[in-house]
């Protein structure tokens, strides 16, 4: 079926590669560039395979992409490919992503590529130093990041002088299940590849992955647990469906709360698509 789609793309002068059923970056670019008439032909193939139930209208949107992506199986992320996607990335997390992703519903290339892109951005290449939230801010950046809780740059300077746990107490104390003045804010600061924050979320994650992160929150930085925490968040936030529907912006918002890092995610997604098979 993928070969048939490539044949249509080639006949439309959108694709110049081999008819091999390997949906690399060239094939993806061709899909993105389809005219409505070409898109209708691809939609018809997907409809005949009972993968697509929408209209044959040439508008290759989320539903069409979901059907198309269901045909492209999950690739294994190799250390060699990761180094091409993100030079300098830590490879010790890959064994857990490859082994556990299917358990959390990741079964297509689109899901693997977008999960990888987002987690690379969130963890700065799976950097072990960035798997617990760091409050080593300059005053201006601290105030800008947490302006709801820190009213001025001068207040930020005063807070910085008191140390990172004090900053954490100001911005996280008394919310997200944390107590006030009891160390919860620092203990349950952001942790993992997609950072889990707050005692409520640590408690929920502990139950979901059967690990005691309430009493031992520092374990969230361990590679296997860091990966499990990210996969749990990904599944819980419905990111898999967004990935299959190529809703990259919406997926980024579900993970980060906005568009911060979106351009980097798009870049790593395309690189992952190019290098993973």
């Amino acid at each position: 079926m993928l070969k048939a789609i490539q044949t249509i793309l080639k006949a439309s002068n959108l694709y110049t590669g081999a008819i091999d059923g390997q949906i690399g970056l060239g094939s993806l670019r061709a899909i993105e560039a389809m005219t409505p008439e070409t898109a209708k032909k691809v939609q018809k193939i997907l409809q005949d395979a009972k993968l697509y139930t929408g209209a044959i209208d040439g508008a290759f949107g989320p539903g069409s992409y979901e059907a198309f992506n269901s045909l492209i199986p999950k690739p294994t992320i190799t250390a060699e490919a990761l180094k091409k996607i993100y030079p300098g990335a830590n490879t010790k997390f890959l064994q857990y992503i490859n082994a556990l992703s299917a358990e959390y519903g990741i079964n297509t290339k689109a899901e693997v590529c977008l999960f990888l892109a987002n987690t690379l951005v969130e963890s700065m290449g799976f950097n072990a130093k960035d798997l617990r939230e760091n409050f080593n801010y300059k005053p201006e950046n601290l105030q800008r990041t947490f302006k709801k809780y820190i009213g001025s740059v001068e207040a930020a300077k005063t807070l910085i002088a008191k140390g990172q746990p004090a900053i954490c107490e100001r911005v996280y104390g008394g919310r997200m299940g944390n107590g006030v003045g009891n160390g919860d804010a620092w203990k349950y600061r952001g942790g993992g590849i997609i950072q889990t924050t707050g005692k409520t979320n640590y408690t929920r994650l502990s139950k979901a992955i059967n690990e005691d992160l309430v009493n031992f929150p520092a374990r969230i930085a361990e590679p296997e647990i860091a990966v499990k925490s990210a996969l749990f968040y990904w599944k819980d936030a419905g990111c898999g469906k967004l990935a299959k529907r190529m809703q990259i912006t919406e997926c980024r918002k579900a993970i980060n709360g906005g568009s911060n890092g979106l351009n980097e995610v798009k870049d790593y997604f395309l690189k992952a698509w190019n290098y993973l098979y």
Side-chain angles (χ1 to χ4, degrees):
M1 194 177 305
L2 290 173
K3 289 182 180 180
I5 291 172
Q6 285 178 323
T7 300
I8 290 171
L9 297 173
K10 197 157 196 171
S12 301
N13 297 314
L14 296 171
Y15 175 64
T16 58
I19 307 299
D20 56 5
Q22 296 292 321
I23 304 300
L25 194 55
S27 297
L28 181 62
R29 291 296 197 196
I31 288 287
E32 294 171 339
M34 288 188 299
T35 64
E37 287 308 308
T38 301
K40 286 179 182 178
K41 295 176 183 178
V42 175
Q43 286 175 326
K44 184 64 167 61
I45 288 177
L46 297 172
Q47 187 185 72
D48 289 346
K50 302 187 185 305
L51 297 172
Y52 175 63
T53 58
I56 306 297
D57 56 5
F60 209 82
S64 299
Y65 270 115
E66 185 173 7
F68 172 66
N69 279 319
S70 71
L71 294 170
I72 312 171
K74 176 185 72 172
T76 297
I77 308 169
T78 65
E80 181 182 10
L82 180 63
K83 292 296 185 181
K84 292 177 181 177
I85 297 163
Y86 194 119
N90 187 336
T91 61
K92 66 182 180 181
F93 294 81
L94 294 186
Q95 61 176 310
Y96 302 110
I97 295 175
N98 288 326
L100 298 170
S101 54
E103 182 180 333
Y104 289 85
I106 295 178
N107 294 299
T108 68
K109 184 173 184 176
E111 292 169 282
V112 167
C113 290
L114 197 52
F115 176 81
L116 183 61
N118 274 285
T119 52
L120 284 171
V121 170
E122 289 294 294
S123 65
M124 297 184 68
F126 305 131
N127 187 337
K129 293 180 180 179
D130 290 296
L131 296 187
R132 292 307 305 276
E133 190 172 4
N134 189 328
F135 284 85
N136 185 23
Y137 286 90
K138 292 181 178 180
E140 298 80 5
N141 294 338
L142 179 63
Q143 195 277 328
R144 182 168 57 251
T145 302
F146 297 103
K147 57 186 176 182
K148 181 177 178 180
Y149 304 97
I150 303 172
S152 67
V153 173
E154 285 303 314
K157 289 180 181 177
T158 300
L159 202 53
I160 287 170
K162 295 180 180 180
Q164 292 192 32
I167 299 171
C168 217
E169 179 63 34
R170 173 70 63 85
V171 301
Y172 292 152
R175 65 191 189 95
M176 297 183 291
N178 295 333
V180 177
N182 64 351
D184 280 357
W186 178 250
K187 187 185 297 183
Y188 303 114
R189 69 191 186 278
I193 294 173
I194 297 177
Q195 297 210 331
T196 299
T197 308
K199 187 175 183 179
T200 295
N201 289 324
Y202 272 75
T203 301
R204 188 163 176 261
L205 175 62
S206 293
K207 293 178 180 177
I209 68 172
N210 196 30
E211 297 283 354
D212 184 4
L213 301 178
V214 176
N215 291 308
F216 305 99
R219 292 195 64 208
I220 201 167
E222 295 176 9
E224 183 175 3
I225 294 177
V227 169
K228 284 183 177 179
S229 70
L231 288 168
F232 168 72
Y233 186 94
W234 174 270
K235 182 178 180 179
D236 190 58
C239 292
K241 188 173 184 66
L242 295 174
K244 286 183 287 188
R245 294 166 73 87
M246 290 297 198
Q247 293 176 302
I248 295 174
T249 299
E250 292 83 351
C251 183
R252 186 63 188 153
K253 185 175 181 180
I255 289 171
N256 189 260
S259 60
N260 183 40
L262 177 60
N263 289 336
E264 291 88 346
V265 166
K266 289 180 178 178
D267 182 47
Y268 293 132
F269 174 76
L270 292 176
K271 287 179 179 177
W273 196 284
N274 187 43
Y275 291 117
L276 296 181
Y277 286 94

